[in-house]
Amino acid sequence: MVTPPFDPTLALGSVWCVTTTGLAVPEALRAVGAVDVTELPDGTERASRRLADASAVREGAVLVLARPVEPGRTLLLELESALGWRGGDPGVMAELAAAGTGRACSITKDPNRTSVLFAEDNGVTGSLDAVTGLVHGSPGAYLSAALSGAAEGWASGQRAAHVLRAVTGVRLDADMWSGPWWGGLSRGLV
């Protein structure tokens, strides 16, 4: 039996987007349109404060955070969905999966759905509804292996985290959300 993966909802709440890529932090933030990138010692706290500040939405930008995780992998985090998830955009995902950088995977959660988007070699290869298990596209044999390892009764965030690990090798855990991040505001996708 597979050990249940960490559910990001426990650390991030009910609305989030977690993306992994083989690009380095600066290139990953550039791919999602982040500008004025700076080190943020309290990245997730700052993102949470922005959520509570209605004027942040009116400024027409979202804060995107990034940090290195596994060797050669970058984790991107979005908590603001008012302008759409950068990690949910097929063009951004294709850029995050530039040839030679490995697969990119994005998992998104909002109160109504949890989904997974896969990309490799400059293009989106498929998606998964982590609630229903419905697969679109042809994401490859790695997805079949991941789905066969998922257990009944897991929360949709756990299923999504399980698939993210199968696709990219990045294992999410409770300790990876605090501490320093790099981040910048993204005003929209170009």
Side-chain angles (χ1 to χ4, degrees), residues 7 24 39 41 59 70 108 139 143 145 147 167 172 174:
D7 184 349
E39 189 171 11
E59 75 184 23
E70 311 284 328
T108 58
L143 179 61
L147 292 176
V167 172
L172 302 181

Side-chain angles (χ1 to χ4, degrees), residues 26-52:
E27 289 79 21
L29 285 168
R30 192 172 318 127
V32 297
V35 296
D36 300 327
V37 172
T38 186
E39 189 171 11
L40 302 171
D42 62 345
T44 52
E45 290 174 28
R46 184 171 303 190
S48 295
R49 285 193 304 269
R50 282 182 55 83
L51 288 173

Side-chain angles (χ1 to χ4, degrees), residues 65-144:
L65 303 174
R67 67 168 16 149
V69 284
E70 311 284 328
R73 303 297 300 172
T74 294
L75 179 75
L76 294 155
L77 175 62
E78 302 171 65
L79 298 179
E80 301 174 63
S81 65
L83 302 176
W85 299 118
R86 301 313 187 249
D89 181 87
V92 168
M93 287 299 290
E95 220 176 309
L96 292 172
T101 63
R103 297 181 190 121
C105 184
S106 183
I107 59 177
T108 58
K109 171 92 170 104
D110 67 37
N112 299 313
R113 64 185 275 181
T114 306
S115 57
V116 185
L117 189 63
F118 319 96
E120 82 183 292
D121 296 330
N122 297 317
V124 171
T125 55
S127 64
L128 165 74
D129 182 317
V131 175
T132 66
L134 186 61
V135 176
H136 297 280
S138 46
Y142 54 84
L143 179 61
S144 297

Side-chain angles (χ1 to χ4, degrees), residues 150-177:
E152 292 285 325
W154 283 0
S156 62
Q158 289 176 297
R159 284 191 295 279
H162 178 72
V163 171
L164 178 110
R165 183 174 185 188
V167 172
T168 66
V170 175
R171 181 180 171 269
L172 302 181
D173 65 50
D175 298 324
M176 66 191 333
W177 312 106

